[in-house]
Amino acid sequence: MPQKRILPYVIMGILLNKDCTGKQIMDEFRFDIGEFWQSSHSQVYPELKRMEQDRWIESYSKEDNDKEIHYHLTAYGHEIINDWLMEPVDKLPVSKDLFSLKTFFINDRNDPRLERLFKHQIQLVSHSLNHLRKRQQALFSSQEQIDQQYGHYLILARAISRQENQLAWLEDKLNNR
Amino acid sequence: MPQKRILPYVIMGILLNKDCTGKQIMDEFRFDIGEFWQSSHSQVYPELKRMEQDRWIESYSKEDNDKEIHYHLTAYGHEIINDWLMEPVDKLPVSKDLFSLKTFFINDRNDPRLERLFKHQIQLVSHSLNHLRKRQQALFSSQEQIDQQYGHYLILARAISRQENQLAWLEDKLNNR
DNA sequence: ATGTGCATGTAATGGGTTACATGATTTA
DNA sequence: TAAATCATGTAACCCATTACATGCACAT
């Protein structure tokens, strides 16, 4: 038995906001959810079909364009996703963090690979931070926008705080070696 | 084609420090590496056999006890792991973070589920932080211990800093809703 | 000797990634 | 009209997780 299946809940969470096509769901993953969850279209499209069979969602197409299939949460789907959002999270995630892993194995504080690792990581984190801040400016520059999608605002702020913390830590340790 | 296989490198990283049995390697996962990488014995034992066939490691048993199989890095294995430690990490990990995911989907800042989620998360993070601090005291209370395993010291400090940051953030947002 | 626990090993299942495929739409 | 791009769909491969199995050790 594999790990617990989360993808359908993610998809229903997305559909809480608005009806979507498969493409639009994938865009959500690419732009907003990618920071803390990821998937690929080869998982999403079959999942959408399964979910429709289970009556969690239903599909329709607009008159002028019967190519695009839009998906819509059913009342039953609403129940399911709302129940799921109620359940508290019961353990912290373990990210598979190659940076920590490699650092862990280097015992000598003067090993040149340590400096290399840190400098690369600083590049990565800076780049990510930049992107997150731009995203925050674009989406949440007004209080109204914040109130509209408060959860989204929160996790974006959280991601920024986390990366700021990591960057400060990296630079501190790099300088005080 | 699946994601890049990391487990053998983790095992070799562990073996850099000392020869180990399968059990000892699993203990490393449980106690020190578990924060940023995890595995299970049903992965590790077959992996050890594969690695021995590839001549990355070799096994031996002590005279008084031929039940316990100890594994030891070969010279070839040393090359492989050292090369791997040299390669910089080229992307940030994406942790599958259910807390962020659920929060993301809650639009209303007064939704009672938000408070529930935050309070539970505060419990989880506090608990983890406690554990990490105890571990730091136990392992790195002297400068000598720090110099002995500097990488290990670093990532433990990093884990603590990250959890402190998360805890402060959670409490701040919970209070200023 | 029997039961319990532990180290080790194996099997079954399904999830996730990558590659490949198809049909439609846009562009050169 | 050919080529390229895009949305969608399918397939193969292998990793990761859980459950089950084995054999030894120690305790009762």
Side-chain angles (χ1 to χ4, degrees):
Chain A
M1 286 100 205
Q3 65 222 37
K4 181 151 178 13
R5 186 163 190 72
I6 307 293
L7 182 58
Y9 299 98
V10 186
I11 292 176
M12 285 192 287
I14 293 170
L15 292 177
L16 275 174
N17 250 339
K18 63 173 198 290
D19 294 358
C20 286
T21 65
K23 170 60 163 54
Q24 289 173 308
I25 287 171
M26 284 313 300
D27 285 344
E28 288 287 321
F29 275 103
R30 245 188 295 284
F31 298 126
D32 293 324
I33 297 183
E35 281 295 315
F36 49 90
W37 207 271
Q38 50 189 16
S39 192
S40 53
H41 77 267
S42 57
Q43 282 181 282
V44 167
Y45 287 110
E47 186 64 49
L48 284 168
K49 300 208 177 297
R50 233 173 304 168
M51 292 168 71
E52 189 172 18
Q53 285 192 339
D54 292 345
R55 311 278 171 192
W56 293 5
I57 58 178
E58 54 196 14
S59 65
Y60 63 93
S61 42
K62 307 202 166 158
E63 308 79 29
D64 54 336
N65 185 352
D66 52 344
K67 302 292 153 30
E68 284 187 330
I69 300 175
H70 294 252
Y71 289 95
H72 172 81
L73 262 186
T74 62
Y76 182 44
H78 260 100
E79 269 180 54
I80 306 265
I81 180 63
N82 279 323
D83 286 351
W84 184 77
L85 286 177
M86 194 113 57
E87 287 172 30
V89 178
D90 67 339
K91 55 176 186 262
L92 293 176
V94 176
S95 73
K96 301 236 160 180
D97 181 354
L98 282 176
F99 169 76
S100 293
L101 194 59
K102 293 193 178 187
T103 302
F104 181 89
F105 291 134
I106 297 177
N107 289 326
D108 177 6
R109 75 192 299 157
N110 296 314
D111 191 318
R113 291 174 299 188
L114 213 47
E115 187 176 341
R116 257 174 75 83
L117 279 175
F118 269 61
K119 287 190 169 168
H120 273 278
Q121 188 77 358
I122 285 172
Q123 289 308 309
L124 286 177
V125 174
S126 301
H127 189 263
S128 158
L129 194 47
N130 239 308
H131 168 253
L132 291 170
R133 283 176 174 150
K134 275 196 198 119
R135 195 89 188 124
Q136 189 178 47
Q137 271 196 324
L139 295 181
F140 299 110
S141 53
S142 78
Q143 188 62 42
E144 195 192 344
Q145 291 170 304
I146 293 175
D147 291 336
Q148 208 83 25
Q149 294 190 297
Y150 193 65
H152 187 169
Y153 164 75
L154 280 176
I155 64 91
L156 186 51
R158 173 81 200 94
I160 289 172
S161 172
R162 175 172 38 221
Q163 298 296 49
E164 284 172 345
N165 171 261
Q166 183 175 10
L167 189 57
W169 185 89
L170 287 164
E171 284 172 344
D172 176 61
K173 293 296 174 184
L174 182 61
N175 294 330
N176 303 331
R177 232 169 347 136
Chain B
M1 288 90 217
Q3 65 223 36
K4 182 151 177 14
R5 185 162 191 72
I6 307 294
L7 182 58
Y9 299 98
V10 186
I11 292 177
M12 286 191 287
I14 293 170
L15 292 177
L16 276 174
N17 251 339
K18 63 171 196 293
D19 294 357
C20 286
T21 66
K23 169 62 162 54
Q24 289 174 309
I25 287 171
M26 284 313 300
D27 285 344
E28 287 288 319
F29 276 104
R30 245 187 296 285
F31 298 127
D32 293 325
I33 297 183
E35 280 296 316
F36 48 90
W37 206 273
Q38 51 190 15
S39 191
S40 54
H41 77 267
S42 57
Q43 283 181 281
V44 167
Y45 287 110
E47 187 63 48
L48 284 168
K49 301 207 177 300
R50 233 173 305 168
M51 292 167 72
E52 189 172 18
Q53 285 192 339
D54 293 346
R55 311 277 170 193
W56 292 6
I57 59 177
E58 54 196 12
S59 64
Y60 63 93
S61 41
K62 308 202 166 159
E63 309 79 29
D64 56 335
N65 185 351
D66 52 345
K67 301 293 153 29
E68 284 187 330
I69 300 175
H70 294 253
Y71 290 96
H72 172 82
L73 261 185
T74 62
Y76 182 45
H78 260 100
E79 270 181 52
I80 306 265
I81 179 64
N82 278 323
D83 286 353
W84 184 77
L85 286 176
M86 194 114 54
E87 288 171 28
V89 179
D90 68 338
K91 56 175 186 263
L92 294 176
V94 176
S95 73
K96 301 235 159 181
D97 180 355
L98 283 175
F99 169 76
S100 294
L101 194 58
K102 293 192 178 188
T103 302
F104 180 89
F105 291 134
I106 297 177
N107 290 325
D108 177 6
R109 75 193 299 158
N110 296 315
D111 190 318
R113 291 174 299 187
L114 213 46
E115 187 176 340
R116 256 172 76 83
L117 279 174
F118 268 61
K119 289 191 169 169
H120 273 277
Q121 187 77 358
I122 285 172
Q123 288 309 308
L124 286 178
V125 174
S126 302
H127 189 263
S128 158
L129 194 46
N130 240 308
H131 169 254
L132 291 171
R133 283 176 174 152
K134 275 196 197 120
R135 194 90 188 123
Q136 190 179 46
Q137 271 197 324
L139 295 180
F140 300 109
S141 53
S142 79
Q143 188 62 42
E144 194 193 344
Q145 290 170 305
I146 293 175
D147 293 334
Q148 208 84 24
Q149 294 190 297
Y150 193 64
H152 187 169
Y153 164 75
L154 280 176
I155 64 89
L156 186 50
R158 172 82 200 95
I160 289 172
S161 172
R162 175 173 38 221
Q163 298 297 47
E164 284 173 346
N165 171 262
Q166 183 174 185
L167 190 55
W169 185 89
L170 287 165
E171 283 171 344
D172 177 61
K173 292 297 174 184
L174 183 61
N175 294 329
N176 302 332
R177 231 169 347 134

